[in-house]
Amino acid sequence: MTPSQAATPRPLVYGHRGARADEPENTLRSFRHAHRVGAEGVELDVRVSRDGHLVVIHDATVDRTTDGTGEVAALFLAELRELDAGGGERIPTLGEALDAFPGLVQVEIKAPEAVAALAESDRRDPLPPRVVLTSFHAEILDHAARLLPRVERGLITAHPTEELPARAAEVKATWVCPELRPELTVGLVERCHAQGLRVDAWPAADPERLARCVALGADAVTTDHPALIDDWLRAV
């Protein structure tokens, strides 16, 4: 361990879709497991059912993660509830997911129509301050900034470039979530920090990649393996 690494604070740990390596992704069981093993946060995905409910599922269809078929947007919540999302788990609503996990929650907006649904839900029952709305798409975050200005936002990117701080500023983001690529450098992380942005690097998929995230000065990491992060950190 180098002196600079020794001085680096432990990053926050976000469980990717809960504890995806151990439990069915984006399910209440996965979120609860992530909490039990010490993750400070979880990342989850939201879409909208045919009847306007915010549901937690990654893909546009239910085919990969459930025993059903069809597009999420074409199915009523009651129909989605009938599907097995793994080990008897059901597709949860966003409200259920927030109740199941008491820590930080990154809500990745997978469908543009979810922004209006989130705003309507927030009017009825305000989203807690621990929620950050995230997206790969600047136009979605811009829409969220207009409809939900008090809720923090995070810009996700698989292609971190020198323009990342400026792009985040355009959508008034407080987080950036860059993929761990060679372009993600200490200098870029420092520029993000200088602008007041927090950095969540992903994926912390093994000890080596976690060590890179720590060396870069990332504030947080997102991982499929929240149960292993502390053991991996001891080896950094």
Side-chain angles (χ1 to χ4, degrees):
M1 181 184 295
T2 68
S4 62
Q5 287 174 323
T8 302
R10 177 189 182 278
L12 296 172
V13 175
Y14 280 90
H16 186 218
R17 305 178 200 169
R20 189 183 180 209
D22 302 319
E23 298 288 356
E25 67 175 60
N26 277 328
T27 62
L28 299 183
R29 196 166 82 197
S30 190
F31 303 139
R32 289 170 180 144
H33 183 70
H35 179 59
R36 282 196 302 271
V37 300
E40 289 88 357
V42 292
E43 181 273 350
L44 56 80
D45 308 283
V46 292
R47 294 184 177 275
V48 183
S49 68
R50 182 174 176 179
D51 46 347
H53 292 274
L54 289 159
V55 290
V56 180
I57 185 169
H58 180 273
D59 298 0
T61 71
V62 300
D63 300 47
R64 179 180 64 85
T65 57
T66 79
D67 61 350
T69 60
E71 294 185 2
V72 175
L75 297 169
F76 291 99
L77 178 62
E79 295 174 301
L80 293 168
R81 292 288 208 193
E82 294 175 356
L83 306 178
D84 188 330
E89 289 291 297
R90 303 298 167 185
I91 296 172
T93 64
L94 177 60
E96 290 169 341
L98 292 176
D99 288 342
F101 189 85
L104 305 170
V105 181
Q106 288 184 21
V107 176
E108 183 179 344
I109 302 170
K110 303 301 289 188
E113 60 269 23
V115 178
L118 282 162
E120 176 60 31
S121 175
D122 184 67
R123 282 191 285 272
R124 296 192 306 268
D125 185 14
L127 290 167
R130 59 195 175 93
V131 167
V132 178
L133 303 177
T134 66
S135 179
F136 280 91
H137 305 287
E139 61 272 19
I140 286 178
L141 292 182
D142 184 62
H143 194 196
R146 286 185 278 110
L147 295 188
L148 297 125
R150 68 171 187 83
V151 183
E152 289 193 65
R153 289 166 297 286
L155 178 63
I156 312 171
T157 181
H159 305 286
T161 68
E162 292 302 311
E163 289 73 40
L164 181 58
R167 291 179 59 217
E170 289 174 358
V171 295
K172 302 179 178 64
T174 55
W175 281 89
V176 289
C177 307
E179 186 172 0
L180 190 61
R181 290 181 177 268
E183 295 80 10
L184 184 61
T185 63
V186 170
L188 181 54
V189 171
E190 288 176 345
R191 286 184 56 219
C192 289
H193 285 162
Q195 190 171 295
L197 294 164
R198 286 164 287 176
V199 178
D200 174 18
W202 58 274
D206 52 49
E208 291 74 22
R209 278 180 277 193
L210 176 61
R212 286 175 57 199
C213 295
V214 170
L216 287 168
D219 304 280
V221 296
T222 296
T223 180
D224 289 347
H225 307 274
L228 301 179
I229 291 293
D230 283 329
D231 286 341
W232 291 352
L233 282 170
R234 282 188 278 271
V236 172

